[in-house]
Amino acid sequence: KRDWNINVDELLEASVHFGHKMKKWNPKMEPYIIPKCRTRSRSHLINFVKTAQYLSEACDLVFTAARWNEEFLIVGTNKKVADSVFEAAIRAQCHYVNDKWFSGMLTNWSTTKIILSKFRKLRIKEKIGGLKPRDASILKRQLCHFERALEGIKYMRRLPDFVIIIDQQKNYTALRECKILGIPTISLIDTNSDPDLAF
């Protein structure tokens, strides 16, 4: 075990302890909520000590997997976290999806590989140039469509070994595909999520 220097004060400052409104909560989250404690807006408060503990365990897992050169995929399609997902993935040199998750991206991997290959060929075609203006315009439009969805996984040659999912509710399709394929996931969840799906 390593010391990840997870500071509870920093977690509080980042407001990670604020959950959803009480009427939207998932009862399975009860062990992770501070009992009989609510805010003025009638939201649950998440137990930040447990948050720090699980965050430390997740860091241990990621560190060990990275030492074995395992492939990671970070998924966060919420507009609020899209830039952070991009920056974290670039820094960690791993794959990412931060715009839209296309159904079957992992479960229909054979088709995804063909699409990625086509995307790479179109990029080479664009770099070579020498196309007629009309053809260049069509190519640019095709590339724009592909880049939105595939930019973060363009170099992915096989299924990832681990998937880190930001916001389980928003990215439920990605989580479900990982469960079907048996790919381990690390999920950031809120009080409206199902913790049983996060492991």
Side-chain angles (χ1 to χ4, degrees), residues 51-184:
T51 300
Q53 176 195 332
Y54 288 123
L55 186 57
S56 179
E57 288 174 18
C59 288
D60 283 333
L61 179 67
V62 169
F63 180 79
T64 305
R67 284 183 66 184
W68 288 96
N69 293 321
E70 303 278 21
E71 292 226 356
F72 286 88
L73 172 64
I74 303 175
V75 181
T77 58
N78 190 321
K79 286 180 182 177
K80 291 178 184 175
V81 299
D83 291 340
S84 299
V85 167
F86 170 75
E87 288 164 16
I90 296 301
R91 220 171 32 245
Q93 297 180 348
C94 64
H95 313 293
Y96 67 93
V97 175
N98 70 338
D99 186 72
K100 184 179 179 184
W101 182 272
F102 285 97
S103 189
M105 197 180 283
L106 297 181
T107 48
N108 200 358
W109 181 243
S110 55
T111 303
T112 305
K113 274 202 299 190
I114 293 165
I115 294 167
L116 285 171
S117 175
K118 185 179 178 183
F119 176 41
R120 286 191 288 266
K121 284 174 185 172
L122 287 172
R123 286 184 71 126
I124 290 165
K125 211 173 184 181
E126 184 192 37
K127 282 178 184 174
I128 292 168
L131 295 169
K132 292 177 184 175
R134 184 176 177 276
D135 293 336
S137 175
I138 291 167
L139 177 67
K140 194 171 184 179
R141 204 163 45 246
Q142 285 177 321
L143 274 171
C144 188
H145 171 72
F146 278 129
E147 278 170 359
R148 269 191 66 221
L150 306 171
E151 183 65 27
I153 61 166
K154 63 186 173 194
Y155 299 120
M156 203 159 87
R157 306 286 179 180
R158 61 183 177 86
L159 288 171
D161 299 299
F162 282 90
V163 177
I164 298 170
I165 296 176
I166 317 297
D167 191 349
Q168 185 190 91
Q169 299 294 99
K170 175 83 174 163
N171 299 294
Y172 180 74
T173 308
L175 180 67
R176 189 171 50 81
E177 289 189 32
C178 292
K179 292 294 174 192
I180 290 167
L181 296 167
I183 299 171

